């Protein structure tokens, strides 16, 4: 990876993080102390997109796979926020939502990634 590709990867990470913030803010607007649906949507959609990218295989140059996967989608998705949101839900006495948040994130993200890989694999 050359210097320009590395800078692009770093910039893509910033774009992904910004996109995550916007999606979460739009979904959660006006909602406080509720299930963190915005982050769930971010992680499931990001997993589907990463699965699609992986499914494309050699269609995409390795440097662009790194820029999109590690940079853009790495900045977009977040495991740490899921962890903190779940801990906060449990702390507020909503252990049921904490468990649902963790299980839904893992289950739906893996399913979305698998579907994305299948769809990406259909591209010639």
């Amino acid at each position: 990876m050359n210097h320009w590709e590395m800078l692009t990867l770093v910039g893509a990470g910033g774009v992904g993080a910004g996109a995550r913030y916007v999606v979460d803010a739009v979904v959660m607007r006006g909602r406080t102390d509720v299930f963190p649906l915005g982050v769930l949507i971010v992680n499931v959609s990001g997993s589907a997109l990463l699965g699609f990218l992986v499914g494309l295989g050699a269609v995409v140059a390795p440097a662009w796979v790194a820029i999109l996967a590690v940079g853009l989608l790495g900045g977009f998705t977040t495991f740490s926020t899921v962890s903190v949101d779940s801990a906060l839900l449990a702390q507020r006495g909503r252990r049921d939502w904490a468990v649902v948040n963790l299980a839904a994130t893992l289950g739906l993200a893996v399913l979305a990634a698998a579907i994305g890989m299948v769809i990406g694999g259909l591209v010639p």
Side-chain angles (χ1 to χ4, degrees):
M1 178 171 272
N2 64 40
H3 291 87
W4 288 110
E5 291 166 340
M6 182 62 76
L7 286 174
T8 304
L9 184 147
V10 171
V15 170
R20 175 191 347 136
Y21 178 81
V22 169
V23 169
D24 186 46
V26 168
V27 171
M28 299 303 290
R29 184 181 351 185
R31 304 172 69 209
T32 57
D33 290 335
V34 297
F35 186 81
L37 184 60
V39 172
L40 178 63
I41 290 171
V42 162
N43 284 324
V44 172
S45 62
S47 296
L49 291 170
L50 182 57
F52 179 75
L53 185 63
V54 169
L56 289 175
V59 173
V60 182
W64 279 102
V65 170
I67 290 166
L68 296 172
V70 177
L72 184 66
L73 295 172
F76 185 62
T77 58
T78 174
F79 181 74
S80 58
T81 302
V82 172
S83 301
V84 170
D85 283 346
S86 297
L88 288 172
L89 286 169
Q91 192 178 45
R92 287 187 218 128
R94 296 305 314 247
R95 289 183 177 85
D96 52 345
W97 283 6
V99 170
V100 168
N101 190 37
L102 290 171
T105 297
L106 179 60
L108 293 175
V110 170
L111 179 63
I115 291 170
M117 289 173 66
V118 170
I119 293 171
L122 297 175
V123 174

